[in-house]
Amino acid sequence: MAVPFSGYGMAIGVGKETTWGTAVARGTNWLRAAKWSLARQQIRETIAHLTHGDAGDVQEEFSVREEAGGGISFPLRYVGVQGLILEAIFGLVATTGASPYVHTYTMASTLPSLTLEGRRGNSVISEVFEGCKGKSAVLSCSVGEVATLGVDFMAQTGAVRGASGTPAYGAGEPVAFHQMPTVTFNSVAYTVKSYSLEFANELGRVDELGSLTTAEPGFSGLRTVRLKATLAYRSDTLYVAQNALTSGDVTWTHTGATSPNSLALTLKAATLQSVSDPVETAGYLEQQVEWLGHAAGAVGSCIAVVTNGQSAHSAG
């Protein structure tokens, strides 16, 4: 009996599509990844009539739709192909400067689509999905860890599993926990133990006669960006601010060991949705804090600024 395949060797190839749902080559754009769960599923239902089997059991089904998509997760770096993933979450990227280069990601009214290839561990088998749009995402970092980015994609469809492409990786510096000293809100800087920046892009299927797959999905509700953080409880400043309905930008920056690498994040016009600091232990107390970002005029609710030595936002 053959030894089962293992997850070792898993990688994700990424290509930005020119036309939604038209697959493009991944080339050398590969991620060292920790999770891949994209899959195709055929959804079937029983045909509605009362003359099925003589014993009352189901006799006929029909295809309702094909669903495609799933999640990926990978360690975040200051340079590399993850720039395409950030663009798929935010919607827009603009590059300025010259050595260093500044890549600014902002919220846009439409989202680009990607072709994603998942190399299935050491099986050397892969599956290619087209028309992938970022449905939701979580950028998180905790003490003792490298920052990670997890994204849930909605895809149009996927190809039959076949031979994998050949991964090629960059050597970009990872975004680490000790490179971010504080989070600043309302002119006060706070040290944190962990944070998660959560995007809900509210994409919805567009089902139409003549196709089992979705047409190009768009926003089906209001997009939200939330920052959740855990702090050591040292003051009531945030508790007071929440009850005073205080709002303002929340900012924090990771600065790499290699110049000019940095990742600066801003949650715009944020309001404190909750501040929780129950007393339920004899040890150190913690605060759980949640902010909700708001659009500020033409500026969306969240901005990410990546500074590095690469002229293209997905290079390196």
Side-chain angles (χ1 to χ4, degrees):
M1 183 178 295
V3 175
F5 295 127
S6 68
Y8 176 78
M10 189 265 283
I12 298 174
V14 184
K16 182 181 177 181
E17 296 177 350
T18 302
T19 302
W20 175 81
T22 300
V24 296
R26 279 68 65 201
T28 58
N29 296 330
W30 289 82
L31 289 168
R32 300 179 187 270
K35 173 188 173 182
W36 167 273
S37 67
L38 272 74
R40 295 171 64 205
Q41 299 291 334
Q42 305 302 319
I43 308 303
R44 297 177 61 81
E45 291 186 4
T46 302
I47 296 177
H49 60 72
L50 301 179
T51 53
H52 287 271
D54 291 343
D57 45 345
V58 172
Q59 190 175 52
E60 287 187 300
E61 284 185 329
F62 74 107
S63 295
V64 177
R65 65 185 178 275
E66 176 185 306
E67 295 180 353
I72 68 171
S73 179
F74 57 92
L76 195 62
R77 299 176 187 273
Y78 292 105
V79 300
V81 67
Q82 61 268 3
L84 292 176
I85 307 295
L86 288 172
E87 184 183 359
I89 298 166
F90 282 86
L92 186 66
V93 61
T95 297
T96 57
S99 193
Y101 297 90
V102 179
H103 314 285
T104 302
Y105 298 86
T106 54
M107 311 290 280
S109 58
T110 59
L111 297 178
S113 62
L114 304 176
T115 297
L116 297 177
E117 177 179 353
R119 178 184 171 106
R120 303 184 60 78
N122 68 354
S123 69
V124 199
I125 295 170
S126 75
E127 194 168 11
V128 177
F129 288 82
E130 59 200 48
C132 298
K133 286 195 168 187
K135 188 176 181 180
S136 62
V138 178
L139 193 166
S140 60
C141 191
S142 299
V143 170
E145 297 180 359
V146 166
T148 60
L149 181 59
V151 186
D152 188 38
F153 285 97
M154 178 183 292
Q156 182 193 36
T157 189
V160 175
R161 290 179 180 179
S164 170
T166 302
Y169 308 108
E173 178 188 1
V175 178
F177 80 98
H178 62 274
Q179 298 170 340
M180 187 206 86
T182 59
V183 169
T184 299
F185 172 67
N186 195 30
S187 301
V188 180
Y190 302 91
T191 55
V192 301
K193 302 178 74 171
S194 65
Y195 75 82
S196 63
L197 182 64
E198 302 180 359
F199 297 79
N201 278 341
E202 298 298 335
L203 293 179
R205 286 180 61 94
V206 181
D207 292 311
E208 297 174 317
L209 295 178
S211 177
L212 290 172
T213 61
T214 180
E216 183 172 3
F219 301 130
S220 61
L222 293 175
R223 302 168 74 186
T224 59
V225 186
R226 299 175 185 272
L227 174 64
K228 298 178 181 178
T230 299
L231 296 71
Y233 174 48
R234 291 188 173 94
S235 78
D236 288 321
T237 305
L238 288 170
Y239 183 76
V240 171
Q242 199 277 334
N243 283 282
L245 305 179
T246 302
S247 65
D249 291 353
V250 186
T251 60
W252 66 108
T253 301
H254 292 262
T255 303
T258 302
S259 180
N261 291 345
S262 68
L263 167 63
L265 294 151
T266 302
L267 191 64
K268 300 292 292 182
T271 56
L272 281 159
Q273 299 295 291
S274 64
V275 177
S276 175
D277 47 15
V279 180
E280 53 190 9
T281 177
Y284 296 126
L285 301 180
E286 294 182 341
Q287 283 186 322
Q288 307 293 331
V289 183
E290 179 180 331
W291 288 272
L292 173 65
H294 294 78
V299 180
S301 58
C302 189
I303 300 172
V305 179
V306 177
T307 303
N308 58 36
Q310 302 294 328
S311 60
H313 73 289
S314 60

